[in-house]
Amino acid sequence: MSGTRRRPPQRTISGRRARVRRSVSRTASRRRWIDYPRKGRAGARRWLPSWRQVLASLLFCVGATTAAIGYAYATVTIPDPNPSTLLQNNVYYWSDGTVLATDGSVNRENISLSRVPVGVQGDFIAAENASFYSDPGIDPQGIARAVVHMAGGGSVQSGSTITQQFVKNTYLDQSQTISRKLKELLISAKIGASMSKQRILQGYLNTCYFGRQANGIEAAARVYYDLPVEKLTVSQGAFLAAAVNEPSLFQYADSAAGARTQAQARWSWVLDRMVETGRLTEQQRAQYAAAGFPAPRKWTPGSGLTGQAGYLVQVARSYVQQHDPGITDSSLSRGGYQIHTTFDRTKTGQLASAVAKVRAQRLDPAHRAADRDVQTGAASVDPATGRILALYGGPGYERDHYADNADTSGVPVGSTFKPVVLASALQYGAVLKPGTSPAPVTPASRFDGDDGIRIKDRQGTYVTDDKDPTGLLHQHNDTTNRWGYISLRTAMEQSVNTPYVQLGEDVGYTDVSRTAKAMGLRSGSLAAPSAGFYIGTSTPSAIRMAGAYATFAASGTQVTPYSVVRVTHDGAIRPGFTAPAPVRALPAPVADNVTDVLRGVITRGTGTKAEALGRIAAGKTGTTDDYRSAWFIGYTRQLATSVVLFKEDPAHPQLQSLVGVGGLQKVFGGDIPTEIWTRYMHDALTGLPDLPFPTPTSLGRGTDEPGVPSASPTPAPTKHAGRPGRRATPTAAPRPGLPTSGPKCRPHKCR
């Protein structure tokens, strides 16, 4: 039936099922790797992960974190130590081993752990990290506590072990950030696995800050208890372990009541921890409690190189650099040197006290203008060894006086140079007539002592005036007294110039300067040839003059004055600091005869104020033209000391006249300098025997200056107002800092 329409096919049940199966199959093929949000769940349940998903997530996080930490641990490197932790101070020690001073940008002296008492090590371990010897360098429980604290909104905390604190102090900075903390943990774990516990503890103790500008336990022991670390007790160590906790507070435990109370409580807690960790017994703990809190010594912030310390350090530092070229300003600035000096703590204090007392008695700068800007320098040397025992360099760095008056070269020595001339004459003789060989000279030899005489050289030619080369020199004494021909002994005792100027010319500049250098005077401090040279235009330091006179005290044996006996750097001894060897500078008969003459200076000459010492002593006064300096140098068998007085305005560094100082019209070496010398020597020699000098060997018959009447007796020595004679034109190099021009001293008068 062509017109009939076809009916569409009917959908059967089986066809629908087939389609559903195909759809499910396609859906299954498109299922997600992570079923989240969860399919087939409605509402909030779609967003709740299954336990499988939770477990998988945790495992993934743990694995990723472990991998990240492992990678970080494997790749992190231990950095170089911070440069600041390598900086130390230099420690200078008195001769008795106590600390004289420290210098450097950082107050630290790195030491080995073996120097720290075991009990003191225990103080720090008990207080900071009881599990130190068993933990891997980090403390998980401490870290957890810190994380909880930070999670609660608190500041970043450390939870640190001793290893972590060592890492923070040595390799990192002090910032409180999570990144710095993570780095600290990684480096600590690596160091804990590669470095010995002893080395870690040593580094920790050397880098801790204790307050009072003390870095490291050695510096702390010094600044809190004035002790080396080896001598710390467990109780003192407990306080230092407490100070690490709050250094800015506990540094004032000597004076502030609140700080002391808290420090004492923390100290007690540290000792309790020592008991808890088995490092102390209850009985030991009770003993420390009974002894009481080990209060630290008084501390003055900003105290440093005060008093004489600055000058002593300056002398020692200069000596060190002269004897070890490897020790430079740069290496000293990095520190780490331990410099053991010859300086005697007691004698240095006695010398400073003597200067202070005499100046207070004799000078009144507040009411007398002449007493202003008066300077004092002094030095004391052991004749047997050359050890510099004491110095007085000035009022102190804290008073803006930085020039060391004991070690400066520029103050003429005046008549204290005459014994050098006499020694040279006794040893080498003198050409008393032109064209003849040197004739023997003794202290009994007589020379013209009159004022204003003309001086001849070895060729018989009259010497010209240094100030006026066109005119002849008429040598003057301090007074116009007509002595006539007098012995060299009398001329020394009364400090008469003319015999010693003529004697010096007869001996000759070459031999006199040779004797001076043999006695330890530096060639650079000796004046150029002139008549004035023989009566003191040279400018050696007080140290060198004390050393020269020590040669007389030691019967002609000379030892170069020295200030340092040993230098170590980081525990290693530096070479080059062997004590100078004694050498024969003068024949013993020569030295002993000079000493015999100088004894007369004290018993009946210009130095009679030194008789108050009440001991066998010898010495010489010295005063220069226009009274620009005044000296006294004297000695016993055990000690040689020089004292110099001069005047100099710091704003105008040029020697000024001492006229009027102390209310005196004339200032002689036999006055204020001798008083200082006598007071110091009395204190310094207390308890020592009064040793006689050797009896001088006869030098035979000496030769007089030509023209001496055969029957002319030596005039009896007299005392008169003008005591030490005076000096000639200074031709030595000027004192550093002084202008090279200015008024010159006349070549006429010296004492």
Side-chain angles (χ1 to χ4, degrees), residues 186-227:
L186 292 170
I187 296 174
S188 297
K190 181 157 282 191
I191 281 181
S194 61
M195 192 178 290
S196 70
K197 291 291 187 179
Q198 289 75 17
R199 185 177 172 191
I200 292 170
L201 183 58
Q202 174 180 296
Y204 164 76
L205 293 174
N206 281 330
T207 55
C208 281
Y209 179 65
F210 290 85
R212 297 193 177 188
Q213 302 172 347
N215 294 271
I217 191 170
E218 173 69 8
R222 299 285 187 184
V223 78
Y224 281 103
Y225 293 111
D226 196 23
L227 292 171

Short mmCIF file of all heavy atoms in Angstrom, two decimals, residues 186-227:
data_model
loop_
_atom_site.label_atom_id
_atom_site.label_comp_id
_atom_site.label_asym_id
_atom_site.label_seq_id
_atom_site.Cartn_x
_atom_site.Cartn_y
_atom_site.Cartn_z
N LEU A 186 69.63 24.23 61.05
CA LEU A 186 70.32 23.38 60.09
C LEU A 186 71.83 23.35 60.35
O LEU A 186 72.46 22.29 60.35
CB LEU A 186 70.04 23.85 58.66
CG LEU A 186 68.59 23.68 58.18
CD1 LEU A 186 68.40 24.40 56.86
CD2 LEU A 186 68.25 22.20 58.05
N ILE A 187 72.41 24.53 60.57
CA ILE A 187 73.86 24.59 60.82
C ILE A 187 74.19 23.92 62.14
O ILE A 187 75.21 23.22 62.27
CB ILE A 187 74.34 26.05 60.79
CG1 ILE A 187 74.15 26.64 59.38
CG2 ILE A 187 75.81 26.14 61.19
CD1 ILE A 187 74.48 28.11 59.29
N SER A 188 73.32 24.10 63.14
CA SER A 188 73.56 23.47 64.44
C SER A 188 73.57 21.95 64.32
O SER A 188 74.41 21.27 64.93
CB SER A 188 72.49 23.91 65.45
OG SER A 188 72.55 25.30 65.68
N ALA A 189 72.61 21.41 63.55
CA ALA A 189 72.57 19.96 63.36
C ALA A 189 73.83 19.47 62.66
O ALA A 189 74.40 18.43 63.01
CB ALA A 189 71.33 19.58 62.56
N LYS A 190 74.28 20.24 61.67
CA LYS A 190 75.48 19.82 60.93
C LYS A 190 76.71 19.92 61.82
O LYS A 190 77.57 19.04 61.81
CB LYS A 190 75.62 20.67 59.67
CG LYS A 190 76.81 20.29 58.82
CD LYS A 190 76.64 20.73 57.37
CE LYS A 190 75.71 19.78 56.62
NZ LYS A 190 75.73 20.00 55.15
N ILE A 191 76.81 21.01 62.60
CA ILE A 191 77.96 21.16 63.49
C ILE A 191 77.92 20.11 64.60
O ILE A 191 78.95 19.55 64.99
CB ILE A 191 78.00 22.59 64.07
CG1 ILE A 191 78.58 23.53 63.01
CG2 ILE A 191 78.81 22.65 65.35
CD1 ILE A 191 78.69 24.96 63.45
N GLY A 192 76.72 19.83 65.10
CA GLY A 192 76.59 18.81 66.12
C GLY A 192 77.07 17.45 65.67
O GLY A 192 77.53 16.63 66.47
N ALA A 193 76.96 17.20 64.37
CA ALA A 193 77.38 15.90 63.83
C ALA A 193 78.84 15.88 63.42
O ALA A 193 79.40 14.80 63.22
CB ALA A 193 76.51 15.55 62.62
N SER A 194 79.47 17.05 63.30
CA SER A 194 80.83 17.08 62.77
C SER A 194 81.86 17.66 63.72
O SER A 194 83.06 17.50 63.50
CB SER A 194 80.85 17.88 61.46
OG SER A 194 80.45 19.23 61.69
N MET A 195 81.42 18.35 64.75
CA MET A 195 82.35 19.04 65.65
C MET A 195 82.26 18.43 67.04
O MET A 195 81.16 18.09 67.49
CB MET A 195 82.03 20.54 65.68
CG MET A 195 83.08 21.41 66.34
SD MET A 195 82.65 23.18 66.29
CE MET A 195 82.85 23.52 64.54
N SER A 196 83.38 18.33 67.73
CA SER A 196 83.38 17.74 69.06
C SER A 196 82.65 18.65 70.04
O SER A 196 82.61 19.87 69.88
CB SER A 196 84.81 17.51 69.55
OG SER A 196 85.45 18.74 69.83
N LYS A 197 82.09 18.05 71.06
CA LYS A 197 81.38 18.82 72.08
C LYS A 197 82.32 19.77 72.80
O LYS A 197 81.94 20.89 73.17
CB LYS A 197 80.73 17.87 73.09
CG LYS A 197 79.57 17.06 72.53
CD LYS A 197 78.37 17.94 72.23
CE LYS A 197 77.16 17.11 71.82
NZ LYS A 197 75.97 17.96 71.54
N GLN A 198 83.57 19.35 72.99
CA GLN A 198 84.54 20.21 73.67
C GLN A 198 84.81 21.48 72.87
O GLN A 198 84.88 22.58 73.41
CB GLN A 198 85.86 19.45 73.91
CG GLN A 198 85.79 18.36 74.96
CD GLN A 198 85.06 17.10 74.46
OE1 GLN A 198 84.89 16.93 73.24
NE2 GLN A 198 84.63 16.26 75.38
N ARG A 199 84.91 21.31 71.56
CA ARG A 199 85.17 22.47 70.72
C ARG A 199 83.96 23.40 70.68
O ARG A 199 84.10 24.62 70.67
CB ARG A 199 85.54 22.01 69.31
CG ARG A 199 85.94 23.14 68.38
CD ARG A 199 86.35 22.62 67.03
NE ARG A 199 86.55 23.70 66.07
CZ ARG A 199 86.71 23.52 64.78
NH1 ARG A 199 86.72 22.28 64.27
NH2 ARG A 199 86.90 24.56 63.98
N ILE A 200 82.77 22.81 70.67
CA ILE A 200 81.55 23.63 70.66
C ILE A 200 81.45 24.42 71.97
O ILE A 200 81.17 25.63 71.95
CB ILE A 200 80.31 22.74 70.47
CG1 ILE A 200 80.30 22.14 69.06
CG2 ILE A 200 79.03 23.53 70.71
CD1 ILE A 200 79.24 21.07 68.86
N LEU A 201 81.68 23.76 73.10
CA LEU A 201 81.59 24.45 74.39
C LEU A 201 82.65 25.53 74.50
O LEU A 201 82.39 26.63 75.01
CB LEU A 201 81.74 23.43 75.52
CG LEU A 201 81.59 23.99 76.95
CD1 LEU A 201 80.24 24.66 77.14
CD2 LEU A 201 81.79 22.87 77.97
N GLN A 202 83.83 25.26 74.00
CA GLN A 202 84.89 26.26 74.01
C GLN A 202 84.48 27.48 73.19
O GLN A 202 84.62 28.63 73.64
CB GLN A 202 86.17 25.66 73.44
CG GLN A 202 87.32 26.66 73.25
CD GLN A 202 88.56 26.00 72.69
OE1 GLN A 202 89.15 25.14 73.33
NE2 GLN A 202 88.95 26.39 71.48
N GLY A 203 83.95 27.24 71.98
CA GLY A 203 83.51 28.35 71.15
C GLY A 203 82.39 29.14 71.79
O GLY A 203 82.34 30.37 71.71
N TYR A 204 81.47 28.44 72.44
CA TYR A 204 80.35 29.10 73.11
C TYR A 204 80.86 30.01 74.23
O TYR A 204 80.48 31.19 74.32
CB TYR A 204 79.41 28.04 73.67
CG TYR A 204 78.42 28.55 74.69
CD1 TYR A 204 77.31 29.29 74.31
CD2 TYR A 204 78.61 28.27 76.05
CE1 TYR A 204 76.41 29.75 75.26
CE2 TYR A 204 77.71 28.73 77.00
CZ TYR A 204 76.61 29.47 76.60
OH TYR A 204 75.72 29.93 77.53
N LEU A 205 81.75 29.50 75.07
CA LEU A 205 82.25 30.29 76.19
C LEU A 205 83.07 31.48 75.72
O LEU A 205 83.14 32.50 76.41
CB LEU A 205 83.07 29.41 77.13
CG LEU A 205 82.29 28.32 77.89
CD1 LEU A 205 83.24 27.42 78.67
CD2 LEU A 205 81.25 28.95 78.82
N ASN A 206 83.72 31.37 74.57
CA ASN A 206 84.52 32.47 74.05
C ASN A 206 83.70 33.53 73.34
O ASN A 206 84.21 34.63 73.08
CB ASN A 206 85.59 31.94 73.08
CG ASN A 206 86.79 31.35 73.80
OD1 ASN A 206 87.13 31.77 74.90
ND2 ASN A 206 87.43 30.37 73.20
N THR A 207 82.46 33.22 72.99
CA THR A 207 81.66 34.18 72.20
C THR A 207 80.47 34.74 72.96
O THR A 207 79.80 35.64 72.46
CB THR A 207 81.16 33.52 70.91
OG1 THR A 207 80.43 32.33 71.23
CG2 THR A 207 82.31 33.19 69.98
N CYS A 208 80.19 34.25 74.16
CA CYS A 208 79.08 34.79 74.94
C CYS A 208 79.38 36.23 75.36
O CYS A 208 80.52 36.59 75.64
CB CYS A 208 78.84 33.95 76.20
SG CYS A 208 77.94 32.43 75.91
N TYR A 209 78.32 37.02 75.42
CA TYR A 209 78.46 38.38 75.94
C TYR A 209 77.99 38.40 77.38
O TYR A 209 76.90 37.94 77.71
CB TYR A 209 77.65 39.37 75.11
CG TYR A 209 77.75 40.79 75.62
CD1 TYR A 209 78.97 41.46 75.58
CD2 TYR A 209 76.65 41.43 76.18
CE1 TYR A 209 79.09 42.75 76.07
CE2 TYR A 209 76.76 42.72 76.67
CZ TYR A 209 77.98 43.38 76.62
OH TYR A 209 78.10 44.65 77.12
N PHE A 210 78.83 38.95 78.27
CA PHE A 210 78.56 38.89 79.70
C PHE A 210 78.20 40.24 80.30
O PHE A 210 78.03 40.34 81.51
CB PHE A 210 79.78 38.34 80.43
CG PHE A 210 80.03 36.88 80.19
CD1 PHE A 210 80.75 36.46 79.07
CD2 PHE A 210 79.57 35.91 81.06
CE1 PHE A 210 80.99 35.11 78.85
CE2 PHE A 210 79.81 34.57 80.85
CZ PHE A 210 80.51 34.16 79.73
N GLY A 211 78.11 41.29 79.50
CA GLY A 211 77.95 42.62 80.06
C GLY A 211 79.31 43.21 80.38
O GLY A 211 80.35 42.57 80.27
N ARG A 212 79.29 44.47 80.79
CA ARG A 212 80.53 45.19 81.12
C ARG A 212 81.52 45.18 79.95
O ARG A 212 82.73 45.17 80.16
CB ARG A 212 81.19 44.64 82.38
CG ARG A 212 80.36 44.79 83.64
CD ARG A 212 81.18 44.51 84.90
NE ARG A 212 80.39 44.73 86.10
CZ ARG A 212 80.87 44.70 87.34
NH1 ARG A 212 82.16 44.47 87.53
NH2 ARG A 212 80.09 44.92 88.38
N GLN A 213 81.02 45.10 78.74
CA GLN A 213 81.83 45.10 77.52
C GLN A 213 82.73 43.87 77.43
O GLN A 213 83.72 43.87 76.69
CB GLN A 213 82.66 46.39 77.43
CG GLN A 213 81.81 47.65 77.45
CD GLN A 213 82.62 48.92 77.56
OE1 GLN A 213 83.81 48.88 77.86
NE2 GLN A 213 81.99 50.05 77.32
N ALA A 214 82.39 42.83 78.17
CA ALA A 214 83.20 41.62 78.20
C ALA A 214 82.62 40.57 77.27
O ALA A 214 81.49 40.12 77.45
CB ALA A 214 83.28 41.06 79.61
N ASN A 215 83.39 40.17 76.27
CA ASN A 215 83.02 39.10 75.36
C ASN A 215 83.89 37.88 75.68
O ASN A 215 85.10 37.93 75.58
CB ASN A 215 83.25 39.53 73.90
CG ASN A 215 82.34 40.65 73.48
OD1 ASN A 215 81.23 40.42 73.00
ND2 ASN A 215 82.79 41.89 73.66
N GLY A 216 83.25 36.79 76.04
CA GLY A 216 84.00 35.59 76.38
C GLY A 216 84.26 35.49 77.87
O GLY A 216 84.33 36.49 78.60
N ILE A 217 84.44 34.26 78.32
CA ILE A 217 84.52 34.02 79.76
C ILE A 217 85.81 34.54 80.38
O ILE A 217 85.83 34.94 81.55
CB ILE A 217 84.35 32.51 80.05
CG1 ILE A 217 84.15 32.27 81.54
CG2 ILE A 217 85.53 31.70 79.50
CD1 ILE A 217 83.73 30.88 81.89
N GLU A 218 86.91 34.59 79.63
CA GLU A 218 88.15 35.12 80.19
C GLU A 218 88.01 36.60 80.49
O GLU A 218 88.38 37.07 81.58
CB GLU A 218 89.32 34.87 79.25
CG GLU A 218 90.63 35.52 79.67
CD GLU A 218 91.25 34.91 80.92
OE1 GLU A 218 90.76 33.87 81.40
OE2 GLU A 218 92.24 35.49 81.43
N ALA A 219 87.48 37.35 79.54
CA ALA A 219 87.26 38.78 79.77
C ALA A 219 86.28 38.99 80.91
O ALA A 219 86.43 39.91 81.73
CB ALA A 219 86.74 39.45 78.50
N ALA A 220 85.25 38.14 81.00
CA ALA A 220 84.26 38.26 82.07
C ALA A 220 84.89 38.00 83.43
O ALA A 220 84.61 38.71 84.41
CB ALA A 220 83.12 37.29 81.82
N ALA A 221 85.74 36.98 83.51
CA ALA A 221 86.41 36.68 84.78
C ALA A 221 87.25 37.87 85.24
O ALA A 221 87.30 38.18 86.44
CB ALA A 221 87.28 35.43 84.62
N ARG A 222 87.89 38.55 84.30
CA ARG A 222 88.72 39.69 84.64
C ARG A 222 87.88 40.87 85.10
O ARG A 222 88.18 41.52 86.10
CB ARG A 222 89.56 40.10 83.43
CG ARG A 222 90.52 39.03 82.92
CD ARG A 222 91.72 38.86 83.79
NE ARG A 222 92.70 37.94 83.20
CZ ARG A 222 93.80 37.56 83.81
NH1 ARG A 222 94.08 38.02 85.01
NH2 ARG A 222 94.64 36.72 83.22
N VAL A 223 86.83 41.16 84.34
CA VAL A 223 86.09 42.39 84.60
C VAL A 223 85.18 42.26 85.81
O VAL A 223 84.90 43.24 86.49
CB VAL A 223 85.29 42.81 83.34
CG1 VAL A 223 84.04 41.97 83.16
CG2 VAL A 223 84.92 44.28 83.38
N TYR A 224 84.70 41.05 86.11
CA TYR A 224 83.82 40.87 87.26
C TYR A 224 84.58 40.52 88.55
O TYR A 224 84.18 40.93 89.63
CB TYR A 224 82.78 39.78 86.98
CG TYR A 224 81.63 40.25 86.13
CD1 TYR A 224 81.55 39.94 84.77
CD2 TYR A 224 80.60 41.03 86.67
CE1 TYR A 224 80.49 40.37 83.99
CE2 TYR A 224 79.54 41.47 85.89
CZ TYR A 224 79.49 41.13 84.55
OH TYR A 224 78.45 41.57 83.79
N TYR A 225 85.67 39.75 88.42
CA TYR A 225 86.35 39.27 89.62
C TYR A 225 87.85 39.55 89.63
O TYR A 225 88.54 39.18 90.58
CB TYR A 225 86.11 37.77 89.79
CG TYR A 225 84.66 37.46 90.11
CD1 TYR A 225 83.85 36.80 89.18
CD2 TYR A 225 84.09 37.84 91.32
CE1 TYR A 225 82.52 36.52 89.46
CE2 TYR A 225 82.76 37.57 91.61
CZ TYR A 225 81.98 36.91 90.67
OH TYR A 225 80.67 36.65 90.96
N ASP A 226 88.36 40.18 88.58
CA ASP A 226 89.79 40.49 88.49
C ASP A 226 90.63 39.23 88.67
O ASP A 226 91.65 39.22 89.36
CB ASP A 226 90.19 41.54 89.53
CG ASP A 226 91.55 42.17 89.23
OD1 ASP A 226 91.96 42.14 88.05
OD2 ASP A 226 92.18 42.69 90.16
N LEU A 227 90.17 38.15 88.04
CA LEU A 227 90.84 36.86 88.13
C LEU A 227 90.99 36.27 86.73
O LEU A 227 90.15 36.51 85.86
CB LEU A 227 90.03 35.88 88.98
CG LEU A 227 89.90 36.15 90.48
CD1 LEU A 227 88.89 35.19 91.07
CD2 LEU A 227 91.24 36.03 91.17
#
